[in-house]
C-alpha cells in the first residue's frame, strides 16, 4: 500500500436529475440507491481500501453535508473532510484538495473521483487505478478514465484519443460534452471515442503546474493558504478563498487546455448513475421488465421503474415506459424518454419558492 497515494472524493453535488429521490438536504450519494446495504459514498470510499491508507482518503463536500459524511464514514477524521462554504463547481474543489495534500506530502499522486458512480467490476477497477497512479507518479500526465461506449448516449461526455501506441493509456485528441444523437452515433462508429468517466489521476505537482498556467488566479488564491491547511486557520481561509473563486469545472478550466492529457481505456462496469434511466438499466427487472422498489400492485405495467415508500400501497395500471417515484413529500410520474425534463421540474419548483420540495 503506497503512502504517497491519495483519493479525493467529490461529494458535494445535489444530483437534481435524480429528483425527487435526491434532494438538497439529502443528495443521492448518501442513499443506498441499489439496495446493497451501503450508500454510494460508502461504496466509493471502500474501493480504495486496498490501494492507499484510509488516512489518505479525503472527501470534499458542502459544509451542510459534513455531518452526513462523518456518519457514513466514521473512520475519517475531521481534517479529512474538506467543507466547501459555497458551491463553485469542480475546479476550486480540486484546487483546494491539491494544495492541502501538497502541504503534507509534496510527492503525492492522487485520484479525483465522484461519489455517486457505480462500479460493477471492483477487481478490474482496482487494477486500472493502480496502473494509472503508477503512470502518473512518474510523469506529468493528467489522466482521465475512458469507458468504451455501449450505445450512442447523449448524456455523457466523449473523449477522442490518438491511436499511437499499444498501451491502454492514450493521448487525448478532443473532448466533446453531451453531443446530439446523430453525432454520438458517429463517435461510436469511428471507434476512437470513449465516454468520459470523470475520474482523474495525476501527481500533485503536475496538476498544480497546470493550475498555475491555465487558472492562475485560482492558483494564487489557494497558494495563499500555504501553512494554513491542516490547521485551525483552514476553515476561515477557505471561506474567503471560495468567495474569490470563479465557477468553473476542472474539465473546462484545465483538462481541455492542458498539453499532457491522456485517457486510460477502461472496462469495469461503470455507470455515473446520474439519471432514472441509468438506475433502470442497472437494476434487476421482473418478468415485465419493471424495476420495483416499495409496496406495489401492478396491472398491465411494462418497462417502468417504480420506486415508492414501503409504508404505503401504490397501485399502478396500464402504464408502459414510465418513471413513478415518490420520496417524502413529492410524487413524480414521468415518461422514461422524457427524463431530461426532471431538471425542469426542479427548476420550476424552485421558482415557486417552496423549498420543502427541493
Amino acid at each position: 500500500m503506497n503512502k504517497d497515494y491519495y483519493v479525493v472524493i467529490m461529494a458535494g453535488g445535489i444530483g437534481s436529475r435524480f429528483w425527487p429521490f435526491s434532494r438538497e438536504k439529502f443528495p443521492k450519494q448518501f442513499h443506498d440507491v441499489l439496495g446493497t446495504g451501503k450508500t454510494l459514498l460508502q461504496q466509493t470510499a471502500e474501493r480504495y481500501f486496498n490501494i492507499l491508507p484510509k488516512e489518505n482518503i479525503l472527501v470534499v463536500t458542502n459544509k451542510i453535508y459534513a455531518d452526513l459524511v462523518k456518519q457514513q464514514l466514521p473512520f475519517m477524521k475531521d481534517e479529512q473532510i474538506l467543507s466547501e462554504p459555497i458551491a463553485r463547481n469542480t475546479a476550486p474543489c480540486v484546487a483546494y484538495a491539491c494544495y492541502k495534500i501538497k502541504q503534507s506530502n509534496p510527492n503525492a499522486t492522487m485520484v479525483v473521483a465522484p461519489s455517486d458512480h457505480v462500479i460493477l467490476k471492483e477487481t478490474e477497477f482496482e487494477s486500472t487505478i493502480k496502473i494509472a497512479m503508477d503512470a502518473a507518479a512518474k510523469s506529468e500526465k493528467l489522466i482521465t478514465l475512458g469507458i468504451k461506449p455501449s450505445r450512442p448516449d447523449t448524456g455523457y461526455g466523449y473523449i477522442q484519443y490518438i491511436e499511437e501506441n499499444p498501451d491502454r493509456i492514450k493521448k487525448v485528441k478532443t473532448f466533446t460534452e453531451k453531443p446530439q444523437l446523430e453525432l454520438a452515433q458517429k463517435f461510436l462508429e469511428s471507434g476512437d471515442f470513449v465516454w468520459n468517466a470523470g475520474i482523474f489521476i495525476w501527481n500533485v505537482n503536475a496538476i498544480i503546474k497546470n493550475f498555475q498556467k491555465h487558472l492562475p488566479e485560482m492558483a494564487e488564491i489557494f497558494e495563499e493558504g500555504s501553512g494554513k491547511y491542516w490547521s485551525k486557520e483552514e476553515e476561515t481561509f477557505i471561506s474567503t478563498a471560495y468567495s474569490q473563486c470563479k465557477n468553473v469545472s476542472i474539465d473546462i478550466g484545465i483538462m481541455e487546455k492542458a498539453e499532457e492529457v491522456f485517457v486510460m481505456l477502461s472496462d469495469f462496469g461503470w455507470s455515473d448513475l446520474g439519471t432514472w434511466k441509468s438506475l433502470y438499466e442497472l437494476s434487476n427487472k421482473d418478468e415485465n421488465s419493471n424495476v420495483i422498489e416499495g409496496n406495489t400492485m401492478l396491472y398491465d405495467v411494462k418497462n417502468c421503474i417504480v420506486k415508492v415508500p414501503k409504508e404505503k400501497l401504490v397501485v399502478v395500471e396500464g402504464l408502459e415506459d414510465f418513471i413513478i417515484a415518490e420520496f417524502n413529500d413529492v410524487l413524480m410520474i414521468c415518461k422514461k424518454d422524457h427524463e431530461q425534463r426532471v431538471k425542469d421540474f426542479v427548476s420550476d419548483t424552485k421558482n415557486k419558492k417552496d423549498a420543502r420540495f427541493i
Side-chain angles (χ1 to χ4, degrees):
M1 195 171 291
N2 196 320
K3 293 183 179 179
D4 289 336
Y5 286 178
Y6 292 73
V7 62
V8 176
I9 300 172
M10 298 183 291
I14 296 170
S16 58
R17 289 183 298 167
F18 213 54
W19 183 84
F21 188 65
S22 187
R23 310 282 277 271
E24 284 187 355
K25 291 184 179 178
F26 204 77
K28 65 177 177 177
Q29 60 267 28
F30 302 110
H31 288 268
D32 176 10
V33 175
L34 295 174
T36 63
K38 295 176 182 176
T39 68
L40 293 174
L41 174 63
Q42 289 169 330
Q43 291 182 58
T44 302
E46 289 182 8
R47 286 184 199 119
Y48 297 90
F49 284 0
N50 295 327
I51 299 174
L52 46 87
K54 286 185 180 179
E55 57 267 27
N56 288 7
I57 297 174
L58 305 181
V59 174
V60 186
T61 191
N62 191 291
K63 64 180 181 180
I64 65 174
Y65 306 138
D67 287 340
L68 277 172
V69 174
K70 290 179 189 177
Q71 291 168 18
Q72 296 195 1
L73 302 176
F75 67 88
M76 296 191 74
K77 299 177 181 177
D78 288 349
E79 61 191 19
Q80 291 173 260
I81 301 173
L82 284 60
S83 296
E84 297 182 292
I86 49 177
R88 278 291 184 266
N89 216 315
T90 53
C93 155
V94 171
Y96 178 10
C98 289
Y99 280 94
K100 178 165 180 166
I101 288 171
K102 183 174 182 179
Q103 182 175 306
S104 63
N105 187 347
N107 299 314
T109 297
M110 56 192 284
V111 181
V112 178
S115 58
D116 55 356
H117 288 187
V118 172
I119 307 295
L120 300 178
K121 303 175 186 176
E122 297 281 359
T123 302
E124 178 60 31
F125 175 79
E126 190 175 308
S127 171
T128 299
I129 290 294
K130 287 178 178 177
I131 293 170
M133 293 193 85
D134 289 347
K138 303 168 189 172
S139 69
E140 293 196 346
K141 289 185 172 79
L142 307 183
I143 301 173
T144 183
L145 300 187
I147 310 297
K148 184 178 180 180
S150 57
R151 60 187 182 277
D153 199 303
T154 59
Y156 294 146
Y158 286 73
I159 300 170
Q160 184 182 27
Y161 59 87
I162 301 170
E163 189 65 82
E164 59 184 0
N165 62 63
D167 298 335
R168 287 173 63 189
I169 300 177
K170 313 283 190 182
K171 190 84 164 64
V172 169
K173 186 175 181 180
T174 60
F175 288 92
T176 304
E177 184 64 19
K178 298 179 180 178
Q180 295 295 319
L181 183 60
E182 185 179 348
L183 187 56
Q185 184 64 52
K186 289 181 180 178
F187 288 170
L188 226 68
E189 293 168 357
S190 73
D192 57 354
F193 282 82
V194 288
W195 287 335
N196 186 352
I199 300 172
F200 307 104
I201 303 96
W202 44 55
N203 75 60
V204 70
N205 294 305
I207 188 61
I208 285 178
K209 179 180 177 181
N210 277 280
F211 267 104
Q212 292 168 338
K213 182 176 182 179
H214 301 293
L215 291 173
E217 293 177 357
M218 193 173 294
E220 186 177 343
I221 288 168
F222 286 97
E223 281 168 4
E224 289 176 2
S226 180
K228 297 175 183 175
Y229 301 112
W230 309 98
S231 76
K232 293 180 180 179
E233 297 177 73
E234 181 177 327
E235 182 178 356
T236 302
F237 165 72
I238 287 300
S239 180
T240 302
Y242 265 68
S243 68
Q244 298 171 338
C245 286
K246 62 180 180 181
N247 188 320
V248 62
S249 71
I250 192 69
D251 299 82
I252 293 173
I254 300 288
M255 299 300 284
E256 293 182 9
K257 298 175 181 176
E259 296 175 3
E260 292 296 302
V261 180
F262 291 77
V263 60
M264 182 167 183
L265 308 188
S266 309
D267 178 16
F268 40 71
W270 170 88
S271 172
D272 73 347
L273 204 62
T275 64
W276 285 103
K277 184 178 179 181
S278 59
L279 177 60
Y280 176 82
E281 291 169 349
L282 283 167
S283 301
N284 294 325
K285 299 167 185 67
D286 69 7
E287 63 275 12
N288 293 310
S289 297
N290 296 310
V291 173
I292 306 166
E293 183 180 327
N295 190 7
T296 64
M297 292 171 60
L298 307 183
Y299 301 89
D300 194 24
V301 174
K302 298 177 182 178
N303 304 319
C304 289
I305 179 165
V306 184
K307 190 175 178 67
V308 294
K310 295 178 180 179
E311 60 270 15
K312 64 170 65 175
L313 175 64
V314 174
V315 181
V316 184
E317 191 273 335
L319 290 184
E320 185 172 352
D321 294 313
F322 269 80
I323 303 163
I324 302 155
E326 182 175 0
F327 187 74
N328 286 348
D329 44 12
V330 176
L331 169 65
M332 182 187 74
I333 302 170
C334 172
K335 289 183 179 180
K336 258 192 339 201
D337 289 344
H338 294 175
E339 67 160 2
Q340 296 298 330
R341 295 202 62 194
V342 172
K343 277 198 152 186
D344 296 333
F345 303 158
V346 175
S347 178
D348 290 345
T349 305
K350 278 185 178 178
N351 291 337
K352 292 180 179 178
K353 303 190 186 308
D354 199 331
R356 291 176 299 163
F357 304 127
I358 303 297

